[in-house]
CSV table of all heavy atoms in Angstrom, one decimal:
chain,number,residue,atom,x,y,z
O,61,TYR,N,10.8,-1.7,7.7
O,61,TYR,CA,11.0,-0.6,6.7
O,61,TYR,C,11.1,0.7,7.4
O,61,TYR,O,10.4,1.0,8.4
O,61,TYR,CB,9.9,-0.5,5.7
O,61,TYR,CG,9.8,-1.7,4.7
O,61,TYR,CD1,9.2,-2.9,5.1
O,61,TYR,CD2,10.5,-1.7,3.5
O,61,TYR,CE1,9.1,-4.0,4.2
O,61,TYR,CE2,10.4,-2.7,2.6
O,61,TYR,CZ,9.7,-3.9,3.0
O,61,TYR,OH,9.7,-4.9,2.1
O,62,ASN,N,12.0,1.6,6.9
O,62,ASN,CA,12.1,2.9,7.4
O,62,ASN,C,10.9,3.8,7.1
O,62,ASN,O,10.6,4.8,7.8
O,62,ASN,CB,13.4,3.6,6.9
O,62,ASN,CG,14.6,2.9,7.5
O,62,ASN,OD1,14.6,2.4,8.6
O,62,ASN,ND2,15.7,2.9,6.7
O,63,THR,N,10.2,3.5,6.0
O,63,THR,CA,9.0,4.2,5.6
O,63,THR,C,7.8,3.2,5.6
O,63,THR,O,8.0,2.1,5.1
O,63,THR,CB,9.1,4.8,4.2
O,63,THR,OG1,9.5,3.8,3.3
O,63,THR,CG2,10.2,5.9,4.2
O,64,ARG,N,6.7,3.6,6.2
O,64,ARG,CA,5.6,2.8,6.3
O,64,ARG,C,4.3,3.5,6.0
O,64,ARG,O,4.3,4.7,6.0
O,64,ARG,CB,5.5,2.2,7.8
O,64,ARG,CG,6.8,1.5,8.2
O,64,ARG,CD,6.8,1.2,9.7
O,64,ARG,NE,6.9,2.3,10.6
O,64,ARG,CZ,8.1,2.9,10.9
O,64,ARG,NH1,9.2,2.4,10.4
O,64,ARG,NH2,8.1,3.9,11.7
O,65,ILE,N,3.2,2.8,5.8
O,65,ILE,CA,1.9,3.4,5.6
O,65,ILE,C,1.1,3.2,6.9
O,65,ILE,O,1.4,2.4,7.7
O,65,ILE,CB,1.1,2.8,4.4
O,65,ILE,CG1,0.8,1.3,4.7
O,65,ILE,CG2,1.8,3.0,3.1
O,65,ILE,CD1,-0.1,0.7,3.7
O,66,ASN,N,0.1,4.1,7.1
O,66,ASN,CA,-0.8,3.9,8.2
O,66,ASN,C,-2.1,3.3,7.6
O,66,ASN,O,-2.3,3.1,6.4
O,66,ASN,CB,-1.1,5.2,9.0
O,66,ASN,CG,-1.6,6.3,8.1
O,66,ASN,OD1,-2.6,6.1,7.3
O,66,ASN,ND2,-1.0,7.5,8.2
O,67,THR,N,-3.1,3.1,8.5
O,67,THR,CA,-4.3,2.4,8.1
O,67,THR,C,-5.1,3.2,7.1
O,67,THR,O,-5.8,2.7,6.3
O,67,THR,CB,-5.2,2.1,9.3
O,67,THR,OG1,-5.3,3.2,10.1
O,67,THR,CG2,-4.5,1.0,10.2
O,68,ARG,N,-5.1,4.6,7.2
O,68,ARG,CA,-5.8,5.4,6.3
O,68,ARG,C,-5.2,5.4,4.9
O,68,ARG,O,-5.9,5.8,4.0
O,68,ARG,CB,-5.9,6.8,6.9
O,68,ARG,CG,-6.8,7.0,8.1
O,68,ARG,CD,-6.9,8.4,8.6
O,68,ARG,NE,-7.9,8.5,9.6
O,68,ARG,CZ,-8.1,9.6,10.3
O,68,ARG,NH1,-7.3,10.7,10.1
O,68,ARG,NH2,-9.0,9.7,11.3
O,69,GLU,N,-3.9,5.1,4.8
O,69,GLU,CA,-3.2,5.1,3.5
O,69,GLU,C,-3.3,3.8,2.8
O,69,GLU,O,-3.0,3.7,1.6
O,69,GLU,CB,-1.8,5.5,3.7
O,69,GLU,CG,-1.6,7.0,4.2
O,69,GLU,CD,-0.2,7.2,4.7
O,69,GLU,OE1,0.5,6.3,5.2
O,69,GLU,OE2,0.2,8.4,4.7
O,70,LEU,N,-3.8,2.7,3.5
O,70,LEU,CA,-3.9,1.4,2.8
O,70,LEU,C,-4.8,1.4,1.6
O,70,LEU,O,-4.4,0.9,0.6
O,70,LEU,CB,-4.3,0.4,3.9
O,70,LEU,CG,-4.5,-1.1,3.3
O,70,LEU,CD1,-3.2,-1.5,2.6
O,70,LEU,CD2,-4.9,-2.0,4.4
O,71,PRO,N,-6.0,2.0,1.7
O,71,PRO,CA,-6.8,2.0,0.4
O,71,PRO,C,-6.1,2.7,-0.7
O,71,PRO,O,-6.2,2.2,-1.9
O,71,PRO,CB,-8.0,2.8,0.9
O,71,PRO,CG,-8.1,2.6,2.3
O,71,PRO,CD,-6.7,2.6,2.8
O,72,GLU,N,-5.3,3.8,-0.5
O,72,GLU,CA,-4.6,4.4,-1.6
O,72,GLU,C,-3.5,3.5,-2.1
O,72,GLU,O,-3.3,3.4,-3.3
O,72,GLU,CB,-4.0,5.7,-1.1
O,72,GLU,CG,-3.3,6.5,-2.2
O,72,GLU,CD,-2.6,7.8,-1.7
O,72,GLU,OE1,-2.8,8.1,-0.5
O,72,GLU,OE2,-1.9,8.4,-2.4
O,73,MET,N,-2.9,2.7,-1.2
O,73,MET,CA,-1.9,1.7,-1.7
O,73,MET,C,-2.5,0.6,-2.5
O,73,MET,O,-1.9,0.2,-3.5
O,73,MET,CB,-1.2,1.1,-0.4
O,73,MET,CG,0.0,0.3,-0.7
O,73,MET,SD,1.4,1.3,-1.1
O,73,MET,CE,1.8,0.6,-2.7
O,74,LEU,N,-3.7,0.2,-2.1
O,74,LEU,CA,-4.4,-0.9,-2.9
O,74,LEU,C,-4.8,-0.3,-4.2
O,74,LEU,O,-4.8,-1.1,-5.2
O,74,LEU,CB,-5.6,-1.4,-2.1
O,74,LEU,CG,-5.2,-2.1,-0.8
O,74,LEU,CD1,-6.5,-2.5,0.0
O,74,LEU,CD2,-4.4,-3.3,-1.0
O,75,ALA,N,-5.2,0.9,-4.3
O,75,ALA,CA,-5.6,1.5,-5.5
O,75,ALA,C,-4.4,1.6,-6.5
O,75,ALA,O,-4.5,1.4,-7.7
O,75,ALA,CB,-6.2,2.9,-5.3
O,76,LEU,N,-3.2,1.9,-6.0
O,76,LEU,CA,-2.0,1.9,-6.8
O,76,LEU,C,-1.7,0.5,-7.4
O,76,LEU,O,-1.4,0.3,-8.5
O,76,LEU,CB,-0.8,2.3,-6.0
O,76,LEU,CG,0.6,2.2,-6.6
O,76,LEU,CD1,0.7,3.2,-7.8
O,76,LEU,CD2,1.7,2.4,-5.6
O,77,GLY,N,-1.9,-0.5,-6.5
O,77,GLY,CA,-1.7,-1.9,-7.0
O,77,GLY,C,-2.7,-2.2,-8.1
O,77,GLY,O,-2.3,-2.9,-9.1
O,78,LYS,N,-3.9,-1.7,-8.0
O,78,LYS,CA,-4.9,-2.0,-9.1
O,78,LYS,C,-4.5,-1.3,-10.4
O,78,LYS,O,-4.5,-1.9,-11.4
O,78,LYS,CB,-6.3,-1.4,-8.6
O,78,LYS,CG,-7.4,-1.6,-9.6
O,78,LYS,CD,-8.7,-1.1,-9.0
O,78,LYS,CE,-9.9,-1.4,-9.9
O,78,LYS,NZ,-9.8,-0.7,-11.2
O,79,ARG,N,-4.0,-0.1,-10.3
O,79,ARG,CA,-3.6,0.6,-11.5
O,79,ARG,C,-2.4,0.0,-12.2
O,79,ARG,O,-2.4,-0.1,-13.4
O,79,ARG,CB,-3.3,2.1,-11.2
O,79,ARG,CG,-4.5,2.9,-10.8
O,79,ARG,CD,-4.2,4.4,-10.9
O,79,ARG,NE,-3.1,4.8,-10.0
O,79,ARG,CZ,-3.2,5.1,-8.7
O,79,ARG,NH1,-4.4,5.0,-8.1
O,79,ARG,NH2,-2.2,5.4,-7.9
O,80,LEU,N,-1.5,-0.5,-11.4
O,80,LEU,CA,-0.3,-1.1,-11.9
O,80,LEU,C,-0.4,-2.6,-12.2
O,80,LEU,O,0.5,-3.2,-12.7
O,80,LEU,CB,0.9,-0.9,-10.9
O,80,LEU,CG,1.2,0.6,-10.6
O,80,LEU,CD1,2.5,0.6,-9.7
O,80,LEU,CD2,1.5,1.4,-11.8
O,81,ASN,N,-1.6,-3.2,-11.8
O,81,ASN,CA,-1.8,-4.6,-11.9
O,81,ASN,C,-0.7,-5.4,-11.2
O,81,ASN,O,-0.1,-6.3,-11.7
O,81,ASN,CB,-1.9,-5.0,-13.4
O,81,ASN,CG,-2.5,-6.4,-13.5
O,81,ASN,OD1,-3.3,-6.8,-12.7
O,81,ASN,ND2,-2.2,-7.1,-14.6
O,82,LYS,N,-0.4,-4.9,-10.0
O,82,LYS,CA,0.7,-5.5,-9.2
O,82,LYS,C,0.2,-5.9,-7.8
O,82,LYS,O,-0.5,-5.1,-7.2
O,82,LYS,CB,1.8,-4.4,-9.0
O,82,LYS,CG,3.1,-4.9,-8.4
O,82,LYS,CD,4.0,-5.6,-9.5
O,82,LYS,CE,5.4,-5.9,-8.9
O,82,LYS,NZ,6.2,-6.6,-9.9
O,83,PRO,N,0.5,-7.1,-7.4
O,83,PRO,CA,0.0,-7.6,-6.1
O,83,PRO,C,0.6,-6.7,-5.0
O,83,PRO,O,1.8,-6.4,-5.0
O,83,PRO,CB,0.5,-9.0,-6.0
O,83,PRO,CG,0.7,-9.4,-7.4
O,83,PRO,CD,1.1,-8.2,-8.1
O,84,VAL,N,-0.2,-6.4,-4.0
O,84,VAL,CA,0.3,-5.6,-2.8
O,84,VAL,C,0.2,-6.6,-1.6
O,84,VAL,O,-0.8,-7.2,-1.4
O,84,VAL,CB,-0.6,-4.4,-2.5
O,84,VAL,CG1,-0.2,-3.8,-1.2
O,84,VAL,CG2,-0.4,-3.4,-3.7
O,85,CYS,N,1.4,-6.7,-0.9
O,85,CYS,CA,1.4,-7.5,0.3
O,85,CYS,C,1.6,-6.6,1.5
O,85,CYS,O,2.5,-5.8,1.6
O,85,CYS,CB,2.6,-8.5,0.2
O,85,CYS,SG,2.8,-9.5,1.7
O,86,ILE,N,0.6,-6.8,2.5
O,86,ILE,CA,0.6,-5.9,3.7
O,86,ILE,C,1.2,-6.7,4.8
O,86,ILE,O,0.6,-7.8,5.2
O,86,ILE,CB,-0.9,-5.5,4.0
O,86,ILE,CG1,-1.6,-5.1,2.8
O,86,ILE,CG2,-0.9,-4.5,5.1
O,86,ILE,CD1,-3.1,-5.3,2.8
O,87,LEU,N,2.2,-6.2,5.4
O,87,LEU,CA,2.8,-6.9,6.6
O,87,LEU,C,2.5,-6.0,7.8
O,87,LEU,O,2.8,-4.8,7.8
O,87,LEU,CB,4.3,-7.0,6.4
O,87,LEU,CG,4.8,-8.0,5.3
O,87,LEU,CD1,6.3,-8.1,5.3
O,87,LEU,CD2,4.1,-9.4,5.5
O,88,ALA,N,2.0,-6.5,8.8
O,88,ALA,CA,1.6,-5.8,10.0
O,88,ALA,C,1.3,-6.7,11.2
O,88,ALA,O,1.1,-7.9,11.0
O,88,ALA,CB,0.4,-4.9,9.8
């Protein structure tokens, strides 16, 4: 991907998944 998250942003990404009730898949 041209845009990526870093390790500090992963918790925020998981929080978004929780709010949207959407599974988050982390590739790294």
Side-chain angles (χ1 to χ4, degrees):
Y61 291 86
N62 293 329
T63 55
R64 301 173 291 276
I65 62 170
N66 59 46
T67 51
R68 286 181 175 173
E69 293 166 332
L70 179 54
E72 184 181 353
M73 190 71 236
L74 296 176
L76 172 68
K78 180 178 186 291
R79 290 194 301 273
L80 302 183
N81 197 25
K82 189 83 171 177
V84 172
C85 178
I86 313 150
L87 296 183

